[in-house]
Amino acid sequence: MRLFAIDTDNTVTAFPAAERIPEGQEQFASEKELAKLAANWPTERLVQIWNGFAGVAGPFGDLKPVKKFTDRKTAVKRIWTAIQKLDSGAPETTAATPETAKAAPKTAKGATKEKKAPEVAGTKGGASVPREFSKKAIVLEMLRRKEGATLAEIAKATDWQNHSIRGFISGTVTKKMGLKVESTKREDGERVYKIIS
């Protein structure tokens, strides 16, 4: 039987049953014991613990980060299932901090980090690359055309409302991706948006 310990930084460590748990760490050996400990924790801590596992290379790569759990019981069950993937050999750990739980998941100690997607030319600090044929990719392609694109053309291609299109252009394209968008009115009064280099 393995013992698990969690410290104040939400680092979960798996120990062989015979090994002594360091002072200042809470220990548990079953889902029931974890649930008893978690009853006194704020729900934010459960999210931080989960997000410490989610996305970590190796056994946790298939887990996705969460913003919240539906209830404490679900959180405990999912965390318990995840920590069963820790190797029973030498003590292994995974950690979450308030900063990493809200941003990107933190890699378990000793694990190698997954490679980041390459940065897109002309974007700020590696803004996400749109999936091929996604609505985001379609709009970007339309905005890169020599003649640009009108709200009506983008709305027809994406089924987005006009306010959503303007928000996407202003928020995602210009602010997040750092691209310059030119907005002009044609002779017929139609507004045209175009990415300029």
Side-chain angles (χ1 to χ4, degrees):
M1 182 171 144
R2 282 179 291 167
L3 288 176
F4 298 94
I6 185 165
D7 64 17
T8 55
D9 292 328
N10 298 328
T11 302
V12 177
T13 309
F15 292 94
E19 198 161 325
R20 191 166 172 261
I21 305 293
E23 270 189 54
Q25 295 189 19
E26 297 178 283
Q27 66 182 39
F28 55 96
S30 67
E31 183 178 346
K32 192 174 187 177
E33 289 177 13
L34 175 59
K36 195 173 182 179
L37 286 175
N40 300 319
W41 296 342
T43 52
E44 178 65 28
R45 185 174 187 192
L46 295 168
V47 171
Q48 291 172 1
I49 293 167
W50 174 262
N51 288 343
F53 290 114
V56 172
F60 306 110
D62 59 334
L63 304 178
K64 304 286 183 229
V66 298
K67 291 184 180 177
K68 66 179 184 175
F69 286 105
T70 53
D71 56 43
R72 192 175 299 272
K73 185 177 178 182
T74 301
V76 169
K77 184 176 181 72
R78 289 180 67 187
I79 291 168
W80 177 254
T81 303
I83 64 174
Q84 298 311 300
K85 296 179 180 183
L86 290 173
D87 187 20
S88 60
E92 271 193 52
T93 61
T94 187
T97 63
E99 299 80 33
T100 59
K102 290 176 186 166
K106 188 174 181 182
T107 304
K109 293 175 186 167
T112 58
K113 290 185 178 181
E114 293 181 13
K115 292 182 179 177
K116 288 183 178 179
E119 288 188 18
V120 178
T123 64
K124 282 185 188 175
S128 64
V129 178
R131 288 186 331 268
E132 191 176 7
F133 306 117
S134 68
K135 289 182 179 182
K136 183 178 179 180
I138 291 168
V139 174
L140 289 172
E141 185 178 317
M142 292 176 81
L143 294 175
R144 285 190 174 110
R145 296 187 309 200
K146 182 180 175 185
E147 69 276 6
T150 65
L151 284 177
E153 291 170 335
I154 296 170
K156 185 176 180 183
T158 61
D159 288 328
W160 287 352
Q161 299 289 322
N162 287 348
H163 66 275
S164 298
I165 297 167
R166 286 189 294 269
F168 174 77
I169 291 170
S170 147
T172 302
V173 178
T174 59
K175 291 180 184 165
K176 288 185 181 175
M177 298 181 79
L179 300 172
K180 292 183 180 177
V181 178
E182 180 181 73
S183 171
T184 56
K185 264 192 178 177
R186 293 192 308 209
E187 290 176 12
D188 63 359
E190 192 78 36
R191 186 159 295 280
V192 176
Y193 297 92
K194 183 168 84 171
I195 293 174
I196 55 174
S197 43

